[in-house]
Amino acid sequence: MQTWSLVSLCVLLGVVVRWGVSLNSYSGAGRPPMFGDYEAQRHWQEVTYNLPVQEWYLNTTDNDLNYWGLDYPPLTAYHSLICAYIAKIINPEWVELHKSRGYESPAHKLFMRATVLVADLLIYIPAVVLYCLYLTDGSAKKKVSTLFCFLLYPGLILIDYGHFQYNGVSLGFALWGVLALGLGWDSLGSVAFCLALNYKQMELYHALPFFCYLLGKCVKLGPMGRGFFLLVRIASTVLVTFALCWLPFLSDPSRALQVVRRIFPVARGLFEDKVANTWCSLNILIKIRSILSSDSQIYLSTACTLLAVLPSSVRLLTKPTFWQFKLALANSSLAFFLFSYQVHEKSILLAALPVCLLLNDLPLVAIYFLQVSTFSMVPLLLKDGLLVPYVVTSLAFLFFGVFLLSALEHCSEEELRMGAYHKLLSCLPRLDLACIVRWKFYISVAIMAGLSVASVALVPPPHLPDLFPVLVSTTAFLHFFGTFVYFNVVQFSGPPSRKSQKKKN
């Protein structure tokens, strides 16, 4: 009973923080003609309510795709339609065709913010609660602490409630998939992940670990026995779920192809803005977009992504354990973020979710990565007027993460799974890797704080207008790449020892 009281308190505090951030500005507020992501979400409600399904992804006189045209899979459109029906009841002006473009009012802002919170309460937050209570080790206090830190992650809160998006829906469905697989409900996990993928196509970042884990489990059970029947059951579940999600578009193949073209655009380029991935960082020295054609950029990024994700996926396929699955999710999403085509800075949230799953196992590394992931979006957050929410939520997460999870106390070489590093560095004198990690954490926090202050307080030289965004993205990239290497090394080392688990408990 006491545990559930603490869980309720954590959820309540998470809701309060989310609603507090939502009281601030949002993307594109008062900035015509395109406004921002807030207007994009409102416009999708307008389109889905007023136009037939057949025209949602088509460029027509009533649906200008150059003005925030739908570019997410059908489940996003259905969600927009549900919100639009409610908006129509409250105030028809909010979704009136053409005339509602750029609509802004306090009442509408309240409605839109409420839709994000309701979606989180229905999908994301319950999945977080159940995962922390049933799939993490330790005492009840440790589980509740993990839950609180999970819910307090600033990156997702700032983007969904500040910038304004519904990332919690797709990430929530993906987390339900993880939860179901962890509890042995493979078919339900497949349904949940299919829903995530049909809500946002970026969930492809997590697709290979789901596929390899389930396929590896089928092979392990026996390809001609129980494994075969499990494979058939999962394949049938996936096909039925996709068919139901795409049902309105399957009657006409050209219509379905148009949806695919909209959700996988290649005209936007290799990367957007100053994103903390390989191509943007490399672009400082080598202007890849000027040297290579668009097709060559796609081939290069695809090849690098597959090479980066292959070792982790093969390891999971041969060892389909839940520990390997969580690490593979982190490695796959980071590989896609670092090397794939057309990456946005907000895509780091896809890597942040699996790292949140490791808060209980690798607290210092997880807190460190999640802090950097929020920092990597500083230019976007400042553009949206979210300086104060960024500072407050980041400091709160850092303090509670380190304090509640005892992150700086549980960072011995054994607990950080750094045994494999000594084998890799056997030619060098033995180093105190745990001490190095601690100092790296302190220095990184200081650098992030310094660059955050500089981005706000200093004016860059006229000939280097993007100096601070570039420094932020490059610094974050170096951290992300180092973490990617670390998680791969951990995945190829042994599973967590029982001695280490008992010490943490």
Side-chain angles (χ1 to χ4, degrees), residues 208 212 216 306 309-320 324 328 491-492:
L208 267 175
C212 291
L306 291 176
V309 80
L310 189 62
S312 173
S313 299
V314 171
R315 175 72 171 178
L316 177 61
L317 191 62
T318 56
K319 283 186 169 291
Q324 289 285 330
Q491 189 178 352
F492 276 85

Side-chain angles (χ1 to χ4, degrees), residues 213-471:
Y213 176 77
L214 290 169
L215 181 60
K217 190 172 180 180
C218 293
V219 172
K220 191 175 180 181
L221 288 172
M224 299 307 292
R226 288 168 54 203
F228 175 75
F229 290 109
L230 177 61
L231 182 63
V232 170
R233 190 165 72 246
I234 291 171
S236 304
T237 301
V238 170
L239 290 173
V240 170
T241 306
F242 265 83
L244 290 174
C245 290
W246 286 72
L247 193 59
F249 306 95
L250 295 180
S251 58
D252 185 352
S254 63
R255 194 185 304 157
L257 284 173
Q258 172 61 13
V259 178
V260 173
R261 280 192 290 267
R262 286 296 301 165
I263 64 178
F264 293 110
V266 294
R268 293 183 182 178
L270 191 58
F271 57 87
E272 283 192 23
D273 298 325
K274 299 297 181 287
V275 60
N277 77 344
T278 303
W279 310 122
C280 184
S281 301
L282 193 61
N283 193 63
I284 300 170
L285 303 174
I286 305 171
K287 304 302 178 185
I288 301 173
R289 292 188 293 190
S290 302
I291 298 172
L292 300 178
S293 65
S294 295
D295 288 345
S296 298
Q297 292 174 34
I298 294 173
Y299 298 145
L300 175 64
S301 62
T302 302
C304 289
T305 304
L306 291 176
L307 285 173
V309 80
L310 189 62
S312 173
S313 299
V314 171
R315 175 72 171 178
L316 177 61
L317 191 62
T318 56
K319 283 186 169 291
T321 65
F322 193 63
W323 170 246
Q324 289 285 330
F325 176 52
K326 291 194 293 184
L327 288 168
L329 283 170
N331 285 324
S332 175
S333 52
L334 270 171
F336 272 84
F337 180 82
L338 290 170
F339 299 105
S340 66
Y341 189 84
Q342 221 289 296
V343 175
H344 197 283
E345 62 261 58
K346 290 171 292 197
S347 301
I348 194 60
L349 298 178
L350 292 152
L353 177 70
V355 175
C356 283
L357 302 179
L358 298 167
L359 273 167
N360 189 64
D361 305 292
L362 301 165
L364 183 62
V365 176
I367 291 166
Y368 158 76
F369 176 87
L370 296 171
Q371 201 71 35
V372 176
S373 70
T374 306
F375 164 75
S376 72
M377 298 183 283
V378 159
L380 176 66
L381 299 174
L382 294 181
K383 192 163 121 183
D384 291 339
L386 297 170
L387 172 62
V388 174
Y390 161 67
V391 173
V392 172
T393 56
S394 296
L395 289 176
F397 177 77
L398 183 62
F399 172 76
F400 285 113
V402 171
F403 175 70
L404 292 176
L405 299 178
S406 305
L408 292 172
E409 297 170 22
H410 296 302
C411 60
S412 65
E413 290 187 7
E414 182 185 7
E415 289 167 315
L416 290 171
R417 324 277 195 265
M418 305 209 70
Y421 276 89
H422 284 299
K423 296 177 182 177
L424 293 173
L425 303 173
S426 56
C427 57
L428 299 175
R430 187 174 179 86
L431 302 171
D432 187 350
L433 297 178
C435 183
I436 292 173
V437 170
R438 278 196 299 272
W439 275 103
K440 182 183 175 185
F441 175 74
Y442 298 141
I443 294 168
S444 297
V445 170
I447 290 173
M448 288 188 286
L451 281 176
S452 297
V453 171
S455 299
V456 176
L458 301 180
V459 178
H463 63 289
L464 295 171
D466 294 327
L467 175 63
F468 296 122
V470 168
L471 286 175

Side-chain angles (χ1 to χ4, degrees), residues 469-484:
V470 168
L471 286 175
V472 168
S473 65
T474 306
T475 302
F477 161 72
L478 293 173
H479 287 83
F480 293 155
F481 188 79
T483 309
F484 173 65

Side-chain angles (χ1 to χ4, degrees), residues 48-289:
T48 53
Y49 183 84
N50 291 286
L51 301 180
V53 177
Q54 296 84 351
E55 294 183 22
W56 287 355
Y57 293 90
L58 289 176
N59 196 41
T60 64
T61 53
D62 287 327
N63 186 22
D64 181 6
L65 294 183
N66 291 320
Y67 183 80
W68 298 117
L70 260 170
D71 54 4
Y72 285 117
L75 215 57
T76 290
Y78 305 149
H79 180 208
S80 296
L81 181 60
I82 292 170
C83 293
Y85 271 107
I86 300 170
K88 180 73 173 179
I89 294 170
I90 299 171
N91 188 342
E93 291 182 0
W94 294 351
V95 290
E96 192 173 356
L97 190 61
H98 302 310
K99 293 182 181 179
S100 61
R101 182 171 291 193
Y103 190 97
E104 291 176 326
S105 75
H108 186 253
K109 179 183 175 182
L110 180 65
F111 165 75
M112 293 291 279
R113 297 303 197 192
T115 60
V116 182
L117 185 58
V118 169
D120 268 7
L121 287 170
L122 291 175
I123 300 171
Y124 181 75
I125 292 177
V128 173
V129 170
L130 293 176
Y131 172 81
C132 292
L133 291 183
Y134 292 104
L135 291 180
T136 58
D137 296 318
S139 64
K141 179 184 174 183
K142 184 71 181 289
K143 292 181 178 185
V144 172
S145 298
T146 304
L147 167 64
F148 184 61
C149 295
F150 203 136
L151 292 176
L152 205 60
Y153 168 54
L156 181 60
I157 296 174
L158 291 167
I159 293 301
D160 276 15
Y161 291 85
H163 181 76
F164 197 87
Q165 285 190 337
Y166 294 94
N167 292 290
V169 177
S170 58
L171 295 177
F173 280 134
L175 187 50
W176 277 108
V178 172
L179 179 66
L181 295 191
L183 295 173
W185 304 336
D186 299 323
S187 296
L188 287 176
S190 303
V191 171
F193 184 69
C194 287
L195 293 177
L197 194 53
N198 279 287
Y199 191 88
K200 283 201 172 183
Q201 64 272 32
M202 284 85 76
E203 279 297 329
L204 283 169
Y205 282 39
H206 301 143
L208 267 175
F210 271 88
F211 174 79
C212 291
Y213 176 77
L214 290 169
L215 181 60
K217 190 172 180 180
C218 293
V219 172
K220 191 175 180 181
L221 288 172
M224 299 307 292
R226 288 168 54 203
F228 175 75
F229 290 109
L230 177 61
L231 182 63
V232 170
R233 190 165 72 246
I234 291 171
S236 304
T237 301
V238 170
L239 290 173
V240 170
T241 306
F242 265 83
L244 290 174
C245 290
W246 286 72
L247 193 59
F249 306 95
L250 295 180
S251 58
D252 185 352
S254 63
R255 194 185 304 157
L257 284 173
Q258 172 61 13
V259 178
V260 173
R261 280 192 290 267
R262 286 296 301 165
I263 64 178
F264 293 110
V266 294
R268 293 183 182 178
L270 191 58
F271 57 87
E272 283 192 23
D273 298 325
K274 299 297 181 287
V275 60
N277 77 344
T278 303
W279 310 122
C280 184
S281 301
L282 193 61
N283 193 63
I284 300 170
L285 303 174
I286 305 171
K287 304 302 178 185
I288 301 173
R289 292 188 293 190

